[in-house]
Amino acid sequence: AQSVTQPDIHITVSEGASLELRCNYSYGATPYLFWYVQSPGQGLQLLLKYFSGDTLVQGIKGFEAEFKRSQSSFNLRKPSVHWSDAAEYFCATSGAGSYQLTFGKGTKLSVIP
Amino acid sequence: SAVISQKPSRDICQRGTSLTIQCQVDSQVTMMFWYRQQPGQSLTLIATANQGSEATYESGFVIDKFPISRPNLTFSTLTVSNMSPEDSSIYLCSVGDRGDTEAFFGQGTRLTVV
């Protein structure tokens, strides 16, 4: 069965600092991997996705993620955080060609001025 | 990409009553799903809505509590029956179709049961 682990429940960073959110997955084959962001009272917005090819994936809002098969990880990074990045971030996985997602528990990001 | 409209966006309901949530997509899609997000929690898949047949429920979810309809390829409903405060959650509709590399989500329905 697929599973996703986000070890950090809550992270606080200063505005302008770099950010890395951790995600580990468990899946037998090559998974499809996603990062979503959910702002308070909002729906889910896709930041980026990986399903094949270059293991460094660029997304929207200046985010990137790197797929590391050897570590079963898909960590999300941003070089300089903005106050508007404060939100809940979810890592998710699905099988190839499946739209049924398994989500991690999420990481809440707080940004301090 | 599909545009998904969910109604209502939020509601406050009395315990013991039922609420039906609608999910309308602007194009025909193969797959439709319903998720639940309890307060402070992640998203959990409730079921896959199958067009023209009974929904496929995940472990821990049953049809009597969460009946689902999908009369065509653009529309589905989820009913939360005999509600209790524990049903207070955000319910999200998600869709995917052949050729897409991602699923798309509606804005969600925020349900509060009092």
Side-chain angles (χ1 to χ4, degrees):
Chain A
Q2 303 170 34
S3 67
V4 177
T5 302
Q6 292 180 249
D8 304 306
I9 297 173
H10 190 185
I11 285 181
T12 300
V13 299
S14 299
E15 191 169 15
S18 63
L19 171 70
E20 182 169 29
L21 302 182
R22 296 183 290 167
C23 172
N24 293 97
Y25 67 90
S26 173
Y27 188 67
T30 300
Y32 283 23
L33 293 161
F34 308 86
W35 275 98
Y36 287 88
V37 61
Q38 185 180 41
S39 299
Q42 302 296 311
L44 288 173
Q45 182 179 23
L46 180 69
L47 288 174
L48 47 78
K49 59 191 175 187
Y50 170 82
F51 47 93
S52 67
D54 194 343
T55 56
L56 185 62
V57 180
Q58 301 297 320
I60 62 171
K61 303 185 177 185
F63 285 94
E64 66 177 28
E66 186 171 11
F67 171 63
K68 293 185 177 180
R69 185 188 300 276
S70 61
Q71 299 177 20
S72 297
S73 69
F74 188 58
N75 294 348
L76 182 71
R77 301 194 294 249
K78 186 170 185 178
S80 178
V81 170
H82 188 263
W83 64 265
S84 61
D85 293 324
E88 187 97 25
Y89 290 80
F90 293 97
C91 183
T93 185
S94 73
S98 170
Y99 305 102
Q100 184 175 310
L101 294 167
T102 299
F103 285 86
K105 292 187 180 297
T107 298
K108 182 177 180 180
L109 174 65
S110 296
V111 181
I112 55 177
Chain B
S1 64
V3 176
I4 303 166
S5 173
Q6 257 187 261
K7 292 181 181 179
S9 59
R10 59 177 63 229
D11 207 342
I12 301 173
C13 300
Q14 296 292 322
R15 67 177 67 202
T17 63
S18 297
L19 176 71
T20 295
I21 303 168
Q22 299 180 0
C23 178
Q24 178 73 55
V25 191
D26 68 341
S27 59
Q28 293 186 341
V29 292
T30 308
M31 307 296 290
M32 294 183 79
F33 306 94
W34 288 99
Y35 290 82
R36 180 178 73 180
Q37 185 180 22
Q38 294 177 298
Q41 302 296 315
S42 185
L43 286 81
T44 301
L45 181 65
I46 298 172
T48 302
N50 300 310
Q51 194 264 327
S53 64
E54 192 171 287
T56 305
Y57 289 85
E58 298 299 306
S59 176
F61 298 95
V62 295
I63 188 172
D64 291 344
K65 178 66 176 178
F66 297 102
I68 289 170
S69 79
R70 188 172 176 196
N72 55 52
L73 293 176
T74 64
F75 186 78
S76 177
T77 66
L78 168 74
T79 299
V80 186
S81 303
N82 188 25
M83 289 184 286
S84 67
E86 291 70 37
D87 294 318
S88 297
S89 298
I90 299 173
Y91 293 86
L92 296 105
C93 172
S94 174
V95 305
D97 198 31
R98 281 185 283 270
D100 293 331
T101 56
E102 65 192 78
F104 301 96
F105 285 83
Q107 288 296 100
T109 296
R110 184 179 295 272
L111 169 63
T112 302
V113 183
V114 297

